[in-house]
Amino acid sequence: AQSVTQLDSHVSVSEGTPVLLRCNYSSSYSPSLFWYVQHPNKGLQLLLKYTSAATLVKGINGFEAEFKKSETSFHLTKPSAHMSDAAEYFCVVRADRGSTLGRLYFGRGTQLTVWP
Amino acid sequence: DAGVTQSPTHLIKTRGQQVTLRCSPKSGHDTVSWYQQALGQGPQFIFQYYEEEERQRGNFPDRFSGHQFPNYSSELNVNALLLGDSALYLCASSLHRGNEQFFGPGTRLTVL
């Protein structure tokens, strides 16, 4: 079975400071992992994805994430926060095998607040 | 490319009523998945349609049903609405066995 745990429900940073959103995953095999962002009253936008290629994945808007198998982690980072980064972020694991092939499993989300 | 579109954007119903939500997938996509996102939660998988058949189903009661049309668009139907069905309903499209799902803006359903 697949699952993800987002370790922080809320993260607050000042504009221009680094962002770290933490995610641990559980999977019986090497999974596909994603980070999505959801702005208020908007749908989900894909930030980046890991699909067993390079372990350091670069996404849109300066975000990146590192897949660490030994730690079962896929933390999202950004060197310098911008006010427009304030949103809800979801870590997601995709079932790549079996009867649930293609199904996405979402974490509970991390609300990022950026202070001026 | 219009991306994934959903209608309506907002809907208010009362308990016991029935509702139909609609989704048009991204051009070229043949698979549609539906998710329910309750307030303060991550989206939960409801079911997935491919070739006009339900291929997978999450842990949702039979009150939730769907349909996929030959043009790949899809409907989500919910019967006998409960207060707990109030949520944002998201549609996602993809290629069958494709790796990435594209989400629509969602339909906000409020059950009074």
Side-chain angles (χ1 to χ4, degrees), chain A residues 6-29:
Chain A
Q6 293 184 244
L7 300 173
D8 307 291
S9 58
H10 291 86
V11 170
S12 294
V13 300
S14 297
E15 190 174 24
T17 64
V19 175
L20 170 64
L21 305 183
R22 299 182 296 164
C23 172
N24 285 353
Y25 70 90
S26 174
S27 177
S28 53
Y29 49 81

Side-chain angles (χ1 to χ4, degrees), chain B residues 85-99:
Chain B
D85 296 330
S86 295
L88 179 68
Y89 288 84
L90 295 164
C91 168
S93 75
S94 63
L95 291 171
H96 188 57
R97 301 187 184 279
N99 190 263

Side-chain angles (χ1 to χ4, degrees), chain A residues 13 29 31 33-34 36 40 53-56 61-62 70-71 75-76 78 81-82 86 88 95 97 99-100 107-108 110:
Chain A
V13 300
Y29 49 81
L33 293 162
F34 306 81
Y36 282 86
T55 56
L56 183 61
N61 300 335
S70 60
E71 299 176 10
H75 301 334
L76 181 70
K78 183 174 181 177
H82 191 272
E88 187 88 22
R97 300 179 190 178
S99 61
T100 59
R108 294 186 59 142
T110 298

